[in-house]
Amino acid sequence: MKSSFSFFPEAASTFAPQVDALYMFLVLLTLFFTVAIYFAVLFFALKYRRTPENQQGVHIHGNNLLEIIWSVIPLGIVMIIFVWGAVLFLRGIHSPEGALEITGVPKQWMWKFQHPQGKREINQLHVPVGKPVKMIMTSEDVIHSFYVPAFRVKQDVLPNRYSSVSFEPTKPGTYHLFCAEYCGTSHSQMIGSVVVMEPADYQAWLAGTAGAGTPLSQAELGQKVFQQLNCQSCHSDPLRAPALEGLLGKAVELEEGRIVTADRNYIRESLMNPNAKIVRGFQPIMPTYSGQITEEEIMQLISYLSQSPNQAETPAAQSTGQAPPKGV
Ligand code: CUA
């Protein structure tokens, strides 16, 4: 961290300069109009001041041309800000193919993260430099907000649904991680750090300290959850329940005829509220797993269900041959 004054916090992601450019535009625009308006006030106050006593002003009843000009020009300016901001927003939530997917479950008052290879950490987030990272998060209690100023990234994390945000770090270093949504007594202490490492260092870090053993990957943990909950007792019978292999990202036809993408939120909802969406051709017999499974276990389960079906015994019954993009 630089100790000298700087206008912006350190910029350490590909996204940061783009946000700074918009911010700089807003600052310069504001500065321009502030100066212009104050000079105009001063100029008109001097030029049109009352010189002889009892001088009367001319009565003016509006000027359409003037009205149009001072409506259209500001409209154009705010449209530039709107479009520019919207493009940046969409870029921020879009994650490129092949992004490293790290899951996070914040709770009062800590940040818990898990890497695809299974490594967990609290209040620290290790990521490799130069590789897009997609954070997939849900809260265990109230609304939190994932905020890394150096990346210009801020995303609210809500309970009962998945929020995601992407970034690509450009500089190794340690950066602040804040919770940016008031979440109770110790909100201000819900802070941590993001450690950006060279890819080789990240791999070494993932491999862990000697003797600790290799942790199970998210998908392997998910397979355990799958077995513990005995999901296969119904889902291996194609007459009772739809097949689940490689489900994440697939198109699913519902009883009412609608086709939805089996994204993370869909799978989560199917576990917690199974009757919300019934797959075509099946009876609503699935019980809810609300209260029986933690958010982390659901994420692991989804990771397991994202695996391609080639390891599984039965081919996925719902495959439509097309591969829709993975949603959140
Ligand atoms: Cu979590 Cu504020």
Side-chain angles (χ1 to χ4, degrees), residues 32-48:
F32 171 78
F33 278 104
T34 305
V35 170
I37 288 168
Y38 273 89
F39 269 102
V41 167
L42 203 64
F43 174 76
F44 288 125
L46 291 174
K47 180 168 167 70
Y48 296 107

Side-chain angles (χ1 to χ4, degrees), residues 107 109 111 142-145 179-184 187-188 190:
K107 63 174 193 175
W109 288 278
W111 292 97
V142 298
I143 302 177
H144 304 276
S145 186
C179 176
E181 182 72 61
Y182 181 71
C183 56
H187 155 71
S188 64
M190 194 168 160

Side-chain angles (χ1 to χ4, degrees), residues 52-121:
E53 276 303 309
N54 306 326
Q55 189 183 17
Q56 294 281 317
V58 186
H59 284 273
I60 295 171
H61 299 282
N63 182 325
N64 285 340
L65 183 65
L66 209 54
E67 297 266 359
I68 289 169
I69 290 172
W70 71 39
S71 300
V72 168
I73 291 175
L75 178 71
I77 293 173
V78 294
M79 284 311 287
I80 291 172
I81 298 170
F82 165 69
V83 172
W84 193 343
V87 166
L88 282 188
F89 172 76
L90 293 173
R91 262 184 220 165
I93 58 171
H94 172 262
S95 74
E97 276 299 311
L100 172 66
E101 293 188 347
I102 300 177
T103 56
V105 183
K107 63 174 193 175
Q108 290 170 320
W109 288 278
M110 62 168 80
W111 292 97
K112 295 196 289 178
F113 299 108
Q114 188 167 24
H115 296 254
Q117 294 82 351
K119 182 120 174 170
R120 295 164 202 265
E121 49 185 337

Side-chain angles (χ1 to χ4, degrees), residues 63-320:
N63 182 325
N64 285 340
L65 183 65
L66 209 54
E67 297 266 359
I68 289 169
I69 290 172
W70 71 39
S71 300
V72 168
I73 291 175
L75 178 71
I77 293 173
V78 294
M79 284 311 287
I80 291 172
I81 298 170
F82 165 69
V83 172
W84 193 343
V87 166
L88 282 188
F89 172 76
L90 293 173
R91 262 184 220 165
I93 58 171
H94 172 262
S95 74
E97 276 299 311
L100 172 66
E101 293 188 347
I102 300 177
T103 56
V105 183
K107 63 174 193 175
Q108 290 170 320
W109 288 278
M110 62 168 80
W111 292 97
K112 295 196 289 178
F113 299 108
Q114 188 167 24
H115 296 254
Q117 294 82 351
K119 182 120 174 170
R120 295 164 202 265
E121 49 185 337
I122 287 177
N123 290 342
Q124 274 210 316
L125 175 65
H126 289 75
V127 287
V129 71
K131 188 168 166 49
V133 177
K134 180 181 185 185
M135 301 300 302
I136 300 159
M137 299 172 287
T138 184
S139 167
E140 217 162 275
D141 37 48
V142 298
I143 302 177
H144 304 276
S145 186
F146 176 88
Y147 180 34
V148 184
F151 296 167
R152 311 292 189 271
V153 150
K154 188 191 273 176
Q155 174 62 51
D156 275 15
V157 185
L158 285 74
N160 300 320
R161 62 184 289 182
Y162 292 113
S163 310
S164 76
V165 69
S166 298
F167 52 82
E168 184 179 327
T170 51
K171 263 196 260 179
T174 303
Y175 307 101
H176 289 295
L177 164 65
F178 296 116
C179 176
E181 182 72 61
Y182 181 71
C183 56
T185 316
S186 300
H187 155 71
S188 64
Q189 281 144 50
M190 194 168 160
I191 52 179
S193 50
V194 180
V195 182
V196 178
M197 311 169 95
E198 292 295 343
D201 294 341
Y202 174 71
Q203 289 304 328
W205 175 84
L206 270 186
T209 45
T214 319
L216 289 179
S217 73
Q218 288 238 46
E220 286 164 341
L221 290 165
Q223 187 174 15
K224 282 194 150 181
V225 176
F226 194 82
Q227 285 156 358
Q228 273 159 18
L229 295 177
N230 211 13
C231 304
Q232 69 274 19
S233 70
C234 289
H235 285 281
S236 60
D237 179 351
L239 294 176
R240 276 171 72 79
L244 298 180
E245 287 81 11
L247 177 62
L248 184 66
K250 279 204 175 133
V252 173
E253 189 177 1
L254 301 183
E255 191 57 49
E256 74 235 39
R258 208 150 53 93
I259 291 180
V260 296
T261 301
D263 59 12
R264 289 169 185 273
N265 278 315
Y266 168 87
I267 297 176
R268 192 184 179 286
E269 183 187 49
S270 300
L271 273 160
M272 307 311 250
N273 185 12
N275 290 343
K277 294 189 177 75
I278 304 296
V279 177
R280 182 163 213 133
F282 294 96
Q283 295 301 308
I285 52 169
M286 170 145 161
T288 174
Y289 285 84
S290 178
Q292 298 181 51
I293 181 168
T294 66
E295 292 296 345
E296 281 172 339
E297 287 170 332
I298 298 174
M299 284 173 157
Q300 291 158 0
L301 204 50
I302 292 173
S303 178
Y304 173 58
L305 296 182
S306 75
Q307 290 188 325
S308 61
N310 53 14
Q311 294 129 316
E313 314 87 338
T314 47
Q318 295 159 346
S319 176
T320 56

Side-chain angles (χ1 to χ4, degrees), residues 19-32 81 84:
V19 176
D20 291 356
L22 173 58
Y23 197 86
M24 193 51 106
F25 173 75
L26 292 176
V27 169
L28 293 178
L29 188 72
T30 311
L31 205 62
F32 171 78
I81 298 170
W84 193 343

